Amino acid sequence: MKGYFTDTVLMVRPVAFGFNSQTAENNKFQQNGFEEGAQQRALEEFDNYVKLLKEAGVNVMVVEDTPEPHTPDSIFPNNWFSTHSAREVSPEEHNGSDGCSTVVLYPMFAPNRREERGKSVMKHLKEHYNGKYNLVDFTESEKEGAFLEGTGSLILDRENKIAYACISPRTDEDLLDEWADRLGYDYCSFEATDSDGTPIYHTNVMMCMGSRYAIVCLDAIEDIEERMTLIEVVEESGKEIFEITLEQMESFAGNMLELKGKDASGKAVPVLVMSKTAKESLDSEQLHLLQNYATIVAPDLDCIEKNGGGSARCMLAEIF
């Protein structure tokens, strides 16, 4: 596997998981609403997910959440920070700090999600990088009502330095342009809606970037010119389009992530993570094609999906 996919992820073990009314404003994937017992069920789903990832040879850094401040969505850390290797972000773009990884902090739509940045994850990252990393902070834009929610908003082709982004209340195009300029990326932006015509809140529910393929719900992009531009950019990058339907997208089939795992001999192999819900939405031909690319890991995340409106990819912060 190429080095632009990581074998290490950070996950936040929940302590007060539940339906977040602040995010439900524009996240139609949230369904239940203050479900009794959601924390315990989410904890069981989380622990099983970690177990499956480790069995697939993925390194998992588990950070324990804290009761205060109350952050019901802390289980989705990928939205408020991302990490980038030195080879991905050139030293010229960050004051010549050659050899250092980069940590990016993102502005969040929901006020209670902003509280996640003050928790133990940042301490964990500082220890992991021995305090030596470049920090790029976009959080001041929250004061202006402009948001860009990490790898929820941004689907990254790290090898080709292209970001794909669905413009929404949580993905501001001016901020996207600034992000791309500071990290040295090109970007492909578009608008997308679900089967009811509701704008899709995060790009990562409709798109996933693999090493040799891009999983995309093309039907969500109504503007033909934008749709054709996305197809062209993906194909020019040397990847194959793997199309999913609107119905499959609404079962989280776009919310996948490719990682590096290990087989029984210790050899690095691609692992494609998706939820059980997503896997069951795919037909046999689609599953067969994806299994040609990677080993599939598909935990049951039913409670987390219905209450939190996020799935397998949302729970993983990639560590480079």
Side-chain angles (χ1 to χ4, degrees):
M1 291 182 67
K2 297 178 181 178
Y4 294 92
F5 292 83
T6 186
D7 61 1
T8 303
V9 294
L10 182 147
M11 299 177 71
V12 178
R13 193 169 188 262
V15 70
F17 175 79
F19 186 89
N20 186 351
S21 58
Q22 293 186 18
T23 57
E25 180 178 331
N26 49 33
N27 180 351
K28 216 179 82 172
F29 287 79
Q30 290 175 248
Q31 296 176 29
N32 281 1
F34 304 104
E35 180 185 359
E36 185 176 351
Q39 160 61 18
Q40 183 57 39
R41 286 184 58 201
L43 200 59
E44 293 168 1
E45 291 176 355
F46 179 93
D47 289 341
N48 180 60
Y49 189 5
V50 171
K51 177 175 176 286
L52 293 176
L53 286 170
K54 289 182 175 180
E55 288 174 352
V58 177
N59 301 316
V60 185
M61 300 162 56
V62 176
V63 178
E64 297 284 343
D65 196 9
T66 56
E68 296 296 334
H70 178 60
T71 51
D73 276 342
S74 59
I75 201 170
F76 305 129
N78 77 306
N79 296 142
W80 66 264
F81 82 93
S82 64
T83 71
H84 307 262
S85 66
R87 66 182 295 194
E88 179 189 348
V89 180
S90 66
E92 294 81 18
E93 287 151 9
H94 292 298
N95 303 316
S97 300
D98 196 10
C100 288
S101 296
T102 294
V103 176
V104 184
L105 300 182
Y106 294 93
M108 302 297 293
F109 171 83
N112 63 8
R113 293 223 59 193
R114 299 168 197 172
E115 299 280 1
E116 295 172 35
R117 295 193 297 260
K119 290 203 170 186
S120 54
V121 172
M122 283 305 299
K123 179 181 178 182
H124 202 86
L125 288 174
K126 288 175 182 177
E127 291 174 354
H128 177 75
Y129 292 120
N130 295 317
K132 297 178 181 178
Y133 59 88
N134 303 302
L135 182 66
V136 181
D137 190 347
F138 290 98
T139 59
E140 281 295 306
S141 69
E142 288 169 349
K143 298 175 182 177
E144 303 165 4
F147 312 107
L148 186 70
E149 297 197 333
T151 52
S153 294
L154 303 165
I155 302 302
L156 303 182
D157 179 347
R158 296 175 187 259
E159 179 183 4
N160 295 296
K161 301 199 75 172
I162 303 168
Y164 297 84
C166 169
I167 303 305
S168 76
R170 303 201 197 179
T171 305
D172 182 86
E173 188 148 24
D174 290 338
L175 202 51
L176 167 64
D177 187 73
E178 182 184 349
W179 179 93
D181 182 62
R182 291 186 67 180
L183 271 78
Y185 265 69
D186 292 321
Y187 66 88
C188 174
S189 62
F190 49 89
E191 294 184 357
T193 57
D194 64 18
S195 56
D196 294 328
T198 303
I200 292 171
Y201 79 109
H202 271 167
T203 319
N204 75 359
V205 299
M206 61 163 292
M207 185 173 186
C208 162
M209 185 60 58
S211 51
R212 295 184 290 156
Y213 57 92
I215 298 168
V216 191
C217 181
L218 293 175
D219 287 343
I221 306 171
E222 293 186 1
D223 187 291
I224 298 301
E225 185 174 338
E226 288 186 341
R227 186 188 300 185
M228 295 309 296
T229 297
L230 183 146
I231 292 171
E232 182 179 344
V233 173
V234 170
E235 291 182 343
E236 284 185 352
S237 72
K239 300 181 190 293
E240 181 181 353
I241 294 277
F242 182 98
E243 191 172 354
I244 57 173
T245 66
L246 284 164
E247 291 77 16
Q248 289 171 331
M249 178 196 74
E250 289 163 7
S251 294
F252 293 101
N255 198 243
M256 304 182 187
L257 181 66
E258 183 173 320
L259 299 167
K260 287 181 185 177
K262 292 180 182 177
D263 63 16
S265 68
K267 178 184 176 182
V269 294
V271 171
L272 183 61
V273 179
M274 66 184 77
S275 72
K276 178 183 176 184
T277 304
K279 184 178 179 182
E280 290 179 347
S281 76
L282 302 174
D283 63 39
S284 58
E285 183 178 353
Q286 289 174 313
L287 271 176
H288 178 72
L289 288 171
L290 287 177
Q291 286 167 338
N292 285 336
Y293 289 125
T295 299
I296 292 175
V297 172
D300 183 353
L301 302 173
D302 183 66
C303 175
I304 292 169
E305 289 174 332
K306 288 179 178 176
N307 287 269
S311 187
R313 193 276 169 263
C314 304
M315 296 170 65
L316 305 177
E318 299 152 277
I319 302 299
F320 286 88

